[in-house]
């Protein structure tokens, strides 16, 4: 009889727990594998009649480690990445497990020490489709990986850019 006394409250507690709302925390987000946005850096969208750009960096500065640009409706992207001397002549990008490596032309950077690498890509490349869905892109090499993560709410800039370039 005592056993029955404890079983009923235990079953009631289980039922209430099953109905309780799920609580998420920063710890859950941090363990998801998605990179975290860097304070002060974001994806910035600009457009005019002839060109659109999506630049990752600090607003209104020359601190722009990666820039994507296109002619509206072309489906083609121009990628610009500033790198140190000695960097391989490729731009390697990854987003959510999809990655692409683009052969690049190198020129001395007019604004920074190092080189400006430029490459051509398609808006439909899997890495950009995943970037558009997840809101982050990473540049990487043999000894580094740099995530470029949209701040909360600015993922709309990414959608606007790719919709215009499409």
């Amino acid at each position: 009889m005592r056993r029955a006394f404890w079983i009923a409250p235990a079953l009631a507690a289980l039922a209430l727990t099953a109905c309780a709302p799920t609580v998420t925390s920063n710890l859950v987000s941090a363990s998801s594998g998605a990179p975290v946005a860097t304070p002060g850096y974001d994806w910035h969208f600009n457009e005019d009649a002839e060109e659109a750009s999506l630049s990752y960096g600090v607003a209104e500065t020359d601190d722009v480690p990666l820039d994507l640009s296109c002619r509206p409706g072309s489906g083609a992207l121009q990628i610009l990445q500033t790198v140190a001397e000695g960097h391989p002549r490729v731009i390697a990008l990854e987003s959510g497990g999809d990655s692409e490596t683009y052969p690049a032309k190198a020129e001395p950077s007019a604004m920074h020490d190092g080189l400006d690498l430029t490459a051509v890509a398609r808006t439909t490349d899997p890495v950009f489709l995943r970037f558009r869905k997840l809101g982050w892109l990473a540049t990487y090499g043999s000894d580094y990986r740099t995530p470029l993560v949209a701040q909360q709410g600015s993922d709309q800039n990414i959608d606007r850019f790719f919709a215009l370039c499409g």
Side-chain angles (χ1 to χ4, degrees):
M1 189 171 224
R2 276 189 174 244
R3 224 188 288 196
F5 179 76
W6 291 102
I7 292 175
L11 289 175
L14 273 172
L16 287 174
T17 302
C19 295
T22 303
V23 177
T24 58
S25 71
N26 290 339
L27 295 175
V28 172
S29 298
S31 67
S32 70
V36 180
T38 303
Y41 285 79
D42 204 356
W43 287 99
H44 304 279
F45 173 72
N46 292 296
E47 71 173 300
D48 61 34
E50 295 183 25
E51 185 176 80
S53 69
L54 185 66
S55 304
Y56 182 82
V58 178
E60 301 181 28
T61 71
D62 295 333
D63 188 357
V64 180
L66 190 74
D67 180 75
L68 306 174
S69 60
C70 74
R71 296 185 77 98
S74 70
L77 297 176
Q78 178 85 15
I79 308 169
L80 171 67
Q81 181 184 15
T82 302
V83 297
E85 287 283 344
H87 189 281
R89 301 308 192 252
V90 297
I91 297 174
L93 303 174
E94 184 264 331
S95 184
D98 286 319
S99 62
E100 298 285 340
T101 303
Y102 299 96
K105 295 178 186 175
E107 296 180 11
S109 178
M111 302 180 96
H112 305 280
D113 292 337
L115 302 171
D116 285 338
L117 298 181
T118 56
V120 176
R122 302 290 307 164
T123 58
T124 55
D125 289 348
V127 71
F128 293 115
L129 296 175
R130 184 66 61 115
F131 168 44
R132 190 172 179 183
K133 181 178 179 181
L134 299 179
W136 65 267
L137 190 64
T139 60
Y140 69 92
S142 62
D143 60 348
Y144 74 95
R145 182 176 182 274
T146 306
L148 313 173
V149 183
Q151 298 290 334
Q152 187 172 358
S154 70
D155 51 346
Q156 296 169 355
N157 290 333
I158 298 166
D159 280 335
R160 287 175 56 204
F161 174 75
F162 282 98
L164 186 64
C165 294

